[in-house]
Amino acid sequence: MTGRELGQREGYRVVELYIGPQHPASGHMRLVVYLDGDIIVRVDPDIGYVHRTMEKLSEVREYVRVISLVERMTIIDSCNITLPFVEAVEKLLGVEPPPRAKYLRTILCEINRISSHLYGLGIGGIFLNHSTMFMWGFGDREVFVHLASLLTGARLTHTYNIFGGVRRDLPQGFRDEFMKAKKYMLRKLKDYDKVFFNNPVIRGRLENVGVLPRDKAIAYGITGPNLRASGVRYDARLLGYAAYSELDFEPVVGKYGDALERVWVRLREIELSLDLIEQALKQIPEGPIFHERFAKMVPPAMKKWFEKGRVKLPGSYVRLRPRRGEVFARGEMGHGEVTYYLVSDGGMMPYRLRIVTPSARNAIMFSILPPGHTLMDLPAIYGSMDYFPPEADR
């Protein structure tokens, strides 16, 4: 973290901080901090500098091309951020994906959630000068990036969810690969608890720091693990989209809402995701992975790919025209709830697409949590939030 003095304002010393300014410390972030001595009085987050403009770009792209566009808002969690958009368009098209496709979507969403949490925990570790946590988090994340690549053919931006289904079926040996990964990760989480979470130095930096009471979390519209750490039992997966209505799970909920508990929730959610993937793999039904309406559009020469468990999209798929109307959809990402408001005028491109990402909602935490803490506590609070700058600057 680097900074410079900006002089005096309103009787306080003002410091401009740059978090980063490069990876792995979550760049693209500038905070203006008002100090009374070394006590924080106020923080003005200056978000931006990524220039994504995803909402406006979506208005000049066909619906299927928007999928690969919006997933770049959160590259580390691309299935969870694209699924609500795909489901919104499916509502306008009047189609529902086959049951097997719903399970495959759920499996990839949970793989991405684990990857997202490990990324956030690793970044949080480096904020606290705990380089072991950074190396472990990013190293273990590769295990799940590999699982995602086995399923989708791509490491990060999978473009796996498509209208009416998914692009690939489960590859041979995937279940065995996952069970190895689960066994490894459960063992490694014990090390995380021992070396990081229960480390007296880390607990001293995080415990009772950046406390977010339950009533404030609700009032400010906080979402995701940051909301659940404050004792609020809300998780968009409970709405039952994809295959979540057929899986047995209970959201991880904390009590105190401090920086330490925000870390604890993410650690325990990794265990929950591992359990959900195993449930989905055991319950997944046989059948097609692509809706019959669109499968009929595939030329005979391309249908051989169905036998290999892959979908090749026909040219006419790009020219889909959903009915006129408005639709709202939501989903639970690793960082929290993402919502889409889609307006169709009956053309091949969205008339309007409004996206509210979890990091955009959680950015207000920069203003409400630090006051009263020392400047030294600011990196700890930031690291506990799992804030992802490109996702907010959408």
Side-chain angles (χ1 to χ4, degrees):
M1 184 161 60
T2 60
R4 62 173 179 166
E5 292 275 352
L6 296 183
Q8 297 282 327
R9 288 184 197 168
E10 302 173 19
Y12 298 107
R13 182 166 65 101
V14 180
V15 175
E16 180 184 51
L17 295 180
Y18 287 93
I19 309 297
Q22 70 283 322
H23 292 297
S26 205
H28 326 304
M29 192 64 197
R30 173 178 175 263
L31 302 174
V32 177
V33 186
Y34 291 69
L35 297 168
D36 183 2
D38 69 339
I39 302 299
I40 298 172
V41 177
R42 176 174 132 200
V43 175
D44 292 340
D46 184 11
I47 64 176
Y49 309 111
V50 187
H51 306 299
R52 295 285 173 126
T53 64
M54 297 300 183
E55 295 177 341
K56 201 64 182 173
L57 288 171
S58 298
E59 297 175 13
V60 293
R61 281 165 170 74
E62 292 85 355
Y63 282 92
V64 69
R65 293 174 62 203
V66 174
I67 300 172
S68 59
L69 177 71
V70 298
E71 73 180 346
R72 278 154 176 78
M73 287 187 291
T74 312
I75 293 173
I76 59 175
D77 199 5
S78 64
C79 186
N80 280 303
I81 200 167
T82 59
L83 183 52
F85 170 72
V86 170
E87 290 192 338
V89 177
E90 286 174 340
K91 290 177 184 177
L92 292 174
L93 290 169
V95 300
E96 189 169 327
R100 186 172 180 85
K102 291 183 178 182
Y103 274 84
L104 290 170
R105 289 175 174 183
T106 303
I107 289 167
L108 184 58
C109 280
E110 293 309 311
I111 291 172
N112 277 182
R113 193 180 317 279
I114 295 170
S115 298
S116 176
H117 283 344
L118 289 173
Y119 180 97
L121 290 166
I123 293 293
I126 209 71
F127 272 34
L128 298 170
N129 295 319
H130 196 295
S131 57
T132 299
M133 186 63 219
F134 168 68
M135 291 185 287
W136 280 7
F138 274 64
D140 293 339
R141 176 173 165 264
E142 283 298 311
V143 174
F144 296 92
V145 169
H146 174 64
L147 282 177
S149 68
L150 287 178
L151 180 58
T152 69
R155 281 172 50 85
L156 297 175
T157 49
H158 319 296
T159 319
Y160 186 67
N161 303 311
I162 52 177
F163 315 132
V166 295
R167 288 178 51 243
R168 289 191 179 202
D169 204 346
L170 274 181
Q172 190 174 7
F174 183 86
R175 289 178 176 83
D176 292 338
E177 286 291 322
F178 167 71
M179 292 310 297
K180 289 179 190 175
K182 179 183 178 183
K183 184 178 179 181
Y184 167 80
M185 197 65 228
L186 289 176
R187 185 174 69 247
K188 200 62 184 287
L189 283 170
K190 295 178 181 177
D191 293 335
Y192 286 12
D193 286 337
K194 187 186 303 181
V195 174
F196 183 69
F197 184 74
N198 290 319
N199 183 322
V201 175
I202 297 301
R203 293 185 77 95
R205 294 290 306 276
L206 298 180
E207 207 161 12
N208 297 318
V209 170
V211 177
L212 181 65
R214 187 178 190 276
D215 57 341
K216 277 194 174 182
I218 296 171
Y220 284 104
I222 308 304
T223 185
N226 294 324
L227 174 69
R228 292 188 285 277
S230 296
V232 181
R233 185 187 175 276
Y234 178 77
D235 188 316
R237 290 175 291 179
L238 293 171
L239 299 172
Y241 65 93
Y244 287 111
S245 61
E246 300 173 38
L247 302 178
D248 181 27
F249 72 101
E250 185 65 27
V252 179
V253 180
K255 295 179 181 178
Y256 309 109
D258 62 1
L260 185 68
E261 198 149 47
R262 288 191 284 275
V263 170
W264 175 83
V265 167
R266 291 179 174 92
L267 287 169
R268 303 290 75 85
E269 284 195 355
I270 292 174
E271 296 174 341
L272 174 60
S273 292
L274 291 169
D275 181 62
L276 285 171
I277 297 170
E278 185 174 6
Q279 283 187 56
L281 287 171
K282 287 179 179 178
Q283 296 175 207
I284 187 169
E286 296 296 328
I289 61 171
F290 198 42
H291 195 279
E292 184 182 10
R293 169 180 163 184
F294 303 125
K296 290 177 180 177
M297 299 162 62
V298 177
M302 294 171 61
K303 287 188 176 179
K304 62 182 180 181
W305 290 100
F306 288 146
E307 300 171 6
K308 300 178 181 180
R310 298 186 186 184
V311 173
K312 292 290 182 180
L313 300 178
S316 55
Y317 195 82
V318 181
R319 297 187 292 275
L320 290 175
R321 293 176 180 269
R323 64 173 173 82
R324 297 172 66 95
E326 304 175 4
V327 65
F328 180 83
R330 67 181 73 193
E332 186 74 22
M333 296 174 55
H335 299 132
E337 183 182 63
V338 59
T339 59
Y340 285 84
Y341 171 66
L342 173 65
V343 180
S344 168
D345 61 0
M348 292 189 296
M349 304 173 190
Y351 174 77
R352 181 73 174 95
L353 182 64
R354 171 66 172 153
I355 312 165
V356 181
T357 59
S359 288
R361 288 174 59 177
N362 289 337
I364 196 171
M365 294 171 69
F366 285 112
S367 296
I368 62 177
L369 295 186
H373 292 285
T374 66
L375 185 62
M376 189 67 177
D377 290 325
L378 190 54
I381 293 171
Y382 187 148
S384 74
M385 289 168 48
D386 197 10
Y387 174 80
F388 194 68
E391 183 185 286
D393 189 21
R394 64 211 180 285

